[in-house]
C-alpha cells in the first residue's frame, strides 16, 4: 500500500480531536472511513499508533513518536503547495517568546542583506519547541531544558541573565537589583506553556505561596502591569517587551537561561545552517546599547 497525505491527515485529526467522531466531522468523512484509513496507515508501518481499547483514544508509544514526523511531513507539503509561496522558499525561524532579544533586529537585518533571495520569517509559536515538533518552522529558538527528539540538532548561542519583572508603580520597582527572596512574598506569574520559570527556582524555605498561570507572554505582561503579580524572565523579554508600566530589575541569585537553536536532521530548508552560523556571529558581536525599562 502507498501511504498518501490523507492517511497522515486522518491520524493527526484523531490526535488533535481525541475521538473518531470529532475527527471524522473535522475531515468531513464517515467514522468507518476514517477508521479504515488509520488502520491502513498502521498496517503500512507495522505498528499500532492509537489504542482503541478505551472510550477515549490514546496514542501508543509508537504513535507518540510518529506524531511529530507526521505533522512535519504534512506541514512541508502544505508549504510546498502554497500558491502564495510559489516564487520563494522562506526560511522559518520559530520562537515561543522574545525571539533572540536584543540580537533579533541585527539578525533580521543581516539576513536580508546577505540572503536577499531567501525571506526569513520570524514566527511566534506558543509551545515549548516553538513549532519544531509540528513542522511549522525550520529552526527554533529554545530556552532552558526541553525534551527534543533524537533527530534534532542544537547549537548553544548564549546564556541570558534572569531578571525580575515588576509593576512600575510598585514598591519593588524602587530597588536597583532584586533577589528571589524579594519576590517570595509575591504572587508569581508563570507561563505554563513555554516559560522557563517554575517555583522550583526558589529555595524550599523561600517558595512563593502561589502562582498565576498564563499561556502566552501578553497575558504574563498584563498580570504584571496591574500589580497583580510579579514575574521572572530573561533580559530578552526586557528588550522585546518594553512597557512603561513594567520595570525589569537584575535578579542577583537566579541562574542564567541557556538559549539554543534547534533544527531537524536532515534540515527542512537548505539555508538552516547558514542561519545558525549567522546567529552565532550576531550574538558574539558587540551590541549597541539603547535605553529601556530597567
Amino acid at each position: 500500500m502507498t501511504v498518501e497525505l490523507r492517511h497522515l491527515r486522518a491520524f493527526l485529526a484523531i490526535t488533535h480531536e481525541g475521538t473518531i467522531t470529532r475527527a471524522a466531522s473535522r475531515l468531513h468523512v464517515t467514522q468507518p472511513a476514517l477508521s479504515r484509513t488509520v488502520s491502513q496507515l498502521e498496517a503500512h508501518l507495522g505498528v499500532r499508533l492509537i489504542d482503541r481499547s478505551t472510550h477515549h483514544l490514546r496514542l501508543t508509544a509508537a504513535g507518540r513518536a510518529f506524531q511529530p514526523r507526521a505533522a512535519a511531513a504534512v506541514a512541508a507539503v502544505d508549504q510546498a503547495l502554497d500558491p502564495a509561496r510559489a516564487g520563494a522558499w522562506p526560511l522559518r525561524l520559530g520562537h515561543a517568546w522574545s525571539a533572540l532579544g536584543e540580537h533579533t533586529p541585527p539578525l533580521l537585518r543581516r539576513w536580508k542583506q546577505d540572503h536577499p533571495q531567501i525571506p526569513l520569517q520570524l514566527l511566534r509559536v506558543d509551545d515549548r519547541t516553538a513549532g519544531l515538533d509540528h513542522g511549522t518552522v525550520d529552526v527554533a529558538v529554545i530556552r532552558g531544558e526541553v525534551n527534543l527528539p533524537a533527530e534534532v540538532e542544537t547549537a548553544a548561542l548564549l546564556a541570558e541573565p534572569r531578571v525580575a519583572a515588576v509593576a512600575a508603580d510598585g514598591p519593588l520597582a524602587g530597588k536597583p537589583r532584586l533577589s528571589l527572596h524579594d519576590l517570595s512574598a509575591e504572587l508569581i506569574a508563570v507561563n505554563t506553556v513555554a516559560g522557563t520559570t517554575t517555583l522550583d527556582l526558589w529555595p524550599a524555605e523561600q517558595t512563593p505561596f502561589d502562582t498565576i498561570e498564563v499561556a502566552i507572554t501578553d497575558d504574563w505582561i498584563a498580570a504584571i502591569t496591574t500589580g497583580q503579580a510579579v514575574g521572572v524572565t530573561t533580559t530578552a523579554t526586557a528588550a522585546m517587551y518594553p512597557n512603561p508600566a513594567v520595570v525589569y530589575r537584575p535578579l542577583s541569585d537566579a541562574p542564567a537561561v541557556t538559549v539554543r537553536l534547534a533544527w531537524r536532521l536532515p534540515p527542512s530548508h537548505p539555508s538552516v545552517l547558514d542561519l545558525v552560523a549567522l546567529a552565532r556571529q550576531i550574538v558574539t558581536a558587540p551590541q549597541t546599547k539603547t535605553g529601556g525599562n530597567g
Side-chain angles (χ1 to χ4, degrees):
M1 187 201 79
T2 300
V3 171
E4 301 173 0
L5 198 58
R6 64 185 178 89
H7 293 94
L8 302 182
R9 291 196 191 280
F11 167 69
L12 291 174
I14 293 174
T15 64
H16 290 155
E17 298 296 338
T19 70
I20 292 283
T21 302
R22 289 199 298 267
S25 175
R26 172 176 171 170
L27 296 176
H28 306 291
V29 299
T30 65
Q31 295 179 43
L34 182 59
S35 295
R36 285 195 300 272
T37 301
V38 172
S39 295
Q40 290 169 352
L41 176 62
E42 292 175 324
H44 174 81
L45 295 173
V47 294
R48 181 170 287 270
L49 300 173
I50 299 172
D51 182 0
R52 303 171 179 80
S53 62
T54 62
H55 251 340
H56 298 286
L57 302 181
R58 286 193 302 239
L59 293 182
T60 64
R64 289 191 297 272
F66 182 67
Q67 183 179 18
R69 299 202 298 273
V74 171
V77 172
D78 287 344
Q79 168 138 348
L81 298 180
D82 184 353
R85 297 174 176 174
W89 187 357
L91 178 60
R92 304 162 299 169
L93 174 60
H95 68 106
W97 48 273
S98 298
L100 288 177
E102 66 176 348
H103 305 290
T104 306
L107 176 67
L108 297 177
R109 285 195 297 266
R110 276 288 305 278
W111 183 267
K112 186 175 181 180
Q113 172 188 318
D114 296 351
H115 304 272
Q117 75 284 8
I118 304 172
L120 178 58
Q121 294 181 343
L122 187 63
L123 305 174
R124 196 181 96 178
V125 184
D126 293 312
D127 67 50
R128 291 290 284 161
T129 68
L132 195 65
D133 259 358
H134 305 293
T136 52
V137 303
D138 303 299
V139 186
V141 179
I142 303 292
R143 282 184 170 84
E145 295 301 317
V146 178
N147 291 325
L148 297 170
E151 65 270 19
V152 170
E153 183 73 14
T154 66
L157 291 183
L158 70 159
E160 288 177 345
R162 276 190 166 99
V163 297
V166 301
D169 58 357
L172 294 176
K175 296 186 176 184
R177 299 178 67 84
L178 293 169
S179 67
L180 292 172
H181 176 71
D182 292 326
L183 306 181
S184 60
E186 306 292 330
L187 203 58
I188 309 298
V190 174
N191 183 332
T192 57
V193 174
T196 57
T197 299
T198 68
L199 293 186
D200 292 337
L201 186 64
W202 278 260
E205 68 278 6
Q206 297 178 13
T207 303
F209 72 94
D210 206 356
T211 64
I212 294 177
E213 296 186 354
V214 300
I216 59 175
T217 303
D218 294 338
D219 291 345
W220 182 86
I221 291 284
I224 295 166
T225 60
T226 61
Q228 185 181 11
V230 301
V232 174
T233 183
T234 74
T235 50
T237 304
M240 298 299 286
Y241 289 88
N243 189 306
V246 176
V247 295
Y248 299 94
R249 296 291 182 244
L251 201 52
S252 61
D253 54 351
V257 174
T258 300
V259 180
R260 297 174 290 161
L261 290 183
W263 63 96
R264 288 189 172 277
L265 295 177
S268 56
H269 192 289
S271 295
V272 163
L273 296 184
D274 292 332
L275 178 61
V276 174
L278 180 59
R280 280 175 158 162
Q281 180 182 342
I282 292 293
V283 301
T284 56
Q287 297 295 313
T288 301
K289 299 297 181 181
T290 58
N293 281 6

